[in-house]
Amino acid sequence: MFKGLIGKKLGMTQVFGEDGSAVPVTIIEAGPCFVTQIRTLNKDGYSAVQIGFEEVKEKKLTAGEVGHLERAKLPPLRILREFRTSTPEVKEGDKVDVSQFEVGKRVDVIGMSKGKGFAGGVKRHGFRGGPVTHGQSDRLRGPGSISSTTTPGRIFKGKRMAGHMGNERVSSQNLKVVLVDVEKNLIGVNGSVPGPRGGLVVIKEARKQ
Amino acid sequence: MGRIMTDLIKSIEAPLNTNIPELMPGDSVSVHVKIVEGDRERIQEFKGTIIALSNKSNQETFTVRRIASNGIGVERTFLRRSPRIDKVVVERHGKVRRAKLFYLREKTGKKARLKEKFS
């Protein structure tokens, strides 16, 4: 059965569990989303459900996008995402919201991580940096040796070095659903979720339960 | 927009416990904590002096220090909105001039007393 939703990360807080323990939660404002298209094996070569999120003014979209949504008799929606599933069980134009998720069940949340810019090896790969004392200078956060000498005479591909970090697609897997508020379209998951506050996230049923 | 977001988060946070009066640093309090033993629930008292308050809305805490039987200081930090707190009774207001009373940790015996504040 298809389970998926597009949402916006609101931020983190804590709630109290039944036994009175404080649980850290990320609140996501998710949905309501609309099914914009059903991809089928015969027609598209794969089976998936496409859903749209966040209503906008028509002029914000291109004519092609508007036409695509009009086909399913839907208002202009800013964000479209596809979810692979072999059993759609929904049809075009259907509304999906947080009620499909249950408290206590596990979900995966996918988002774009915060960009860290050009980051050194210590931050990016957890290198330990160089020694601080004993006459050392200029190598506090250095990467150390990156290869041997004449053999191999080059640096191996994929050697971990400084470079761009963050702003990439990250999945947080197996997060427990702590609260679901259908009225306010809120879902709370235990723990953190990739991306900044206000960032776009996709919620799916957990893949590795 | 940021405003609406925080309002939405606030809406799911726990409400204030009405059995907890306004607390001040230096107050001598008795905290009644619910404790679950097996399937039985009982109430345990923790008596001491409030040495610190932290006001982080949903994560408000207060730290209570007491001197246990053999002169060993015991500090416990409570979450103000925790459902495990049954009630808090303020027994005495202490006269203090600062917000955090960590200096009490270095004092023992008669030096660790606070004068009472009458209002």
Side-chain angles (χ1 to χ4, degrees):
Chain A
M1 153 105 201
F2 156 73
K3 268 186 187 172
L5 216 52
I6 311 170
K8 199 169 72 176
K9 172 174 164 179
L10 292 185
M12 288 193 72
T13 182
Q14 67 182 14
V15 295
F16 293 101
E18 263 172 40
D19 57 345
S21 58
V23 184
V25 290
T26 307
I27 309 295
I28 301 164
E29 188 180 19
C33 296
F34 298 94
V35 178
T36 52
Q37 197 179 14
I38 307 284
R39 301 266 186 201
T40 58
L41 205 59
N42 292 336
K43 209 172 159 206
D44 308 287
Y46 64 100
S47 168
V49 175
Q50 188 188 69
I51 61 173
F53 174 60
E54 208 164 85
E55 244 177 86
V56 285
K57 283 184 198 151
E58 201 175 309
K59 66 175 183 184
K60 294 264 183 193
L61 300 182
T62 63
E65 288 168 329
V66 174
H68 173 66
L69 291 163
E70 251 168 27
R71 212 173 48 89
K73 296 188 181 58
L74 287 171
L77 301 166
R78 195 162 70 93
I79 291 144
L80 301 177
R81 288 286 183 277
E82 285 186 4
F83 296 79
R84 288 285 190 111
T85 173
S86 46
T87 50
E89 289 176 28
V90 282
K91 33 180 220 304
E92 274 175 30
D94 277 3
K95 189 173 142 182
V96 284
D97 59 16
V98 289
S99 60
Q100 58 186 312
F101 296 106
E102 270 172 66
V103 171
K105 290 277 167 65
R106 304 267 174 178
V107 292
D108 292 344
V109 180
I110 300 149
M112 293 291 275
S113 62
K114 279 185 186 173
K116 311 285 182 198
F118 190 96
V122 172
K123 187 181 183 122
R124 193 169 180 223
H125 302 296
F127 292 167
R128 284 176 197 173
V132 185
T133 53
H134 295 295
Q136 311 271 344
S137 63
D138 310 338
R139 50 181 74 95
L140 198 60
R141 291 173 71 89
S145 169
I146 53 172
S147 190
S148 332
T149 171
T150 323
T151 319
R154 63 190 174 91
I155 292 163
F156 292 123
K157 271 192 173 177
K159 174 77 200 137
R160 292 180 298 163
M161 289 197 199
H164 191 270
M165 182 185 172
N167 196 22
E168 57 179 356
R169 187 185 155 98
V170 176
S171 305
S172 283
Q173 295 184 325
N174 260 331
L175 303 176
K176 201 184 205 173
V177 178
V178 178
L179 63 98
V180 170
D181 191 329
V182 181
E183 219 166 86
K184 295 189 189 114
N185 290 309
L186 296 180
I187 180 166
V189 293
N190 187 355
S192 62
V193 152
R197 275 172 289 181
L200 192 77
V201 291
V202 168
I203 310 166
K204 287 180 184 176
E205 198 176 14
R207 201 171 170 174
K208 304 171 184 167
Q209 302 237 21
Chain B
M1 195 188 95
R3 188 67 201 275
I4 300 165
M5 276 167 55
T6 41
D7 284 352
L8 272 173
I9 293 177
K10 286 243 155 66
S11 73
I12 59 108
E13 287 174 351
L16 273 173
N17 188 338
T18 46
N19 285 336
I20 302 181
E22 201 188 334
L23 303 173
M24 292 296 283
D27 284 358
S28 294
V29 290
S30 157
V31 185
H32 296 240
V33 196
K34 287 179 201 157
I35 289 187
V36 180
E37 280 173 345
D39 49 356
R40 226 162 46 82
E41 200 181 70
R42 67 181 185 87
I43 293 202
Q44 191 186 57
E45 260 185 89
F46 190 88
K47 279 186 175 184
T49 317
I50 294 186
I51 61 162
L53 294 172
S54 158
N55 303 311
K56 290 174 189 160
S57 74
N58 191 48
Q59 213 195 324
E60 275 172 88
T61 61
F62 58 95
T63 304
V64 180
R65 179 178 170 87
R66 83 186 186 102
I67 306 299
S69 53
N70 37 10
I72 295 167
V74 177
E75 280 176 25
R76 206 166 151 188
T77 304
F78 297 95
L79 281 161
R80 205 178 199 283
R81 303 194 183 197
S82 167
R84 272 188 198 158
I85 295 181
D86 182 47
K87 64 173 176 180
V88 177
V89 182
V90 177
E91 284 159 359
R92 183 173 181 270
H93 296 288
K95 190 176 166 189
V96 291
R97 299 177 72 157
R98 54 205 72 216
K100 312 283 180 202
L101 310 180
F102 297 140
Y103 69 89
L104 287 178
R105 289 172 180 164
E106 265 89 62
K107 313 257 182 210
T108 50
K110 284 188 173 182
K111 280 236 168 83
R113 290 174 305 173
L114 295 171
K115 278 187 184 163
E116 190 165 358
K117 189 172 90 183
F118 301 96
S119 49

